[in-house]
Each structure stands twice: as C-alpha cells, then as structure tokens.
Amino acid sequence: MCAVSVRVLFQFLSWTPFCVSQIKQGMVMKFKVNPNDCIGCGACEAECPEVFQLDDDISTVVVDDVPEDLVDSALAAEENCPADAISHK
C-alpha cells in the first residue's frame, strides 16, 4: 500500500467517529402507518401518544419529524404493533 493510501485511510478513520456522532445527533426519524394494515387497536397510541393517535379507528402519525426524546417510544410502538402497520425511515 502506498504512503498516500495509508494517509487517506488514516484521515478517514480519524474522522469517522466525528461524522457518525454528528449524523446520529442530527438524525431525523419519520414514521408512517399503513392504513390498509392498521387494525385500530390503539397499542401505538398507548405507547407513544405524542406521535400516534387513532382517528376513525385507524392510527395516524401526528408529527412529521419525531423529536429525539420520543424516538425510543416511537420505535417501541412500531415493534409492538400487532399488525406490523408502522414503519420508519
């Protein structure tokens, strides 16, 4: 391996933790409920009412970007959805 490649690799590795932490801090999560799959049980609203609400027996997402402090409970709602109707990106 040439000296230039080693130097570039070292620079990449030394910046990786900074880049990953910056991405994680600024990460925006969006959740979606598939209305065709939702059975209206309300489990997601019970888990995270700040993000999910039942509307006419179908769950809806009430925030576009889920704040960092609610991500864990929104992910728990997704994981515990009996119909697997919730997804995120």
Side-chain angles (χ1 to χ4, degrees), residues 15-48:
W15 278 95
T16 300
F18 173 76
C19 295
V20 170
S21 66
Q22 291 296 82
I23 291 169
K24 189 174 181 180
Q25 286 177 349
M27 183 172 41
V28 174
M29 292 197 98
K30 295 178 182 274
F31 285 79
K32 180 177 143 182
V33 176
N34 183 334
N36 295 323
D37 292 337
C38 180
I39 60 174
C41 69
C44 57
E45 184 178 29
E47 184 75 43
C48 189

Side-chain angles (χ1 to χ4, degrees), residues 1-16:
M1 184 178 281
C2 71
V4 173
S5 297
V6 171
R7 185 173 39 151
V8 170
L9 179 61
F10 176 75
Q11 286 175 342
F12 173 76
L13 292 175
S14 67
W15 278 95
T16 300

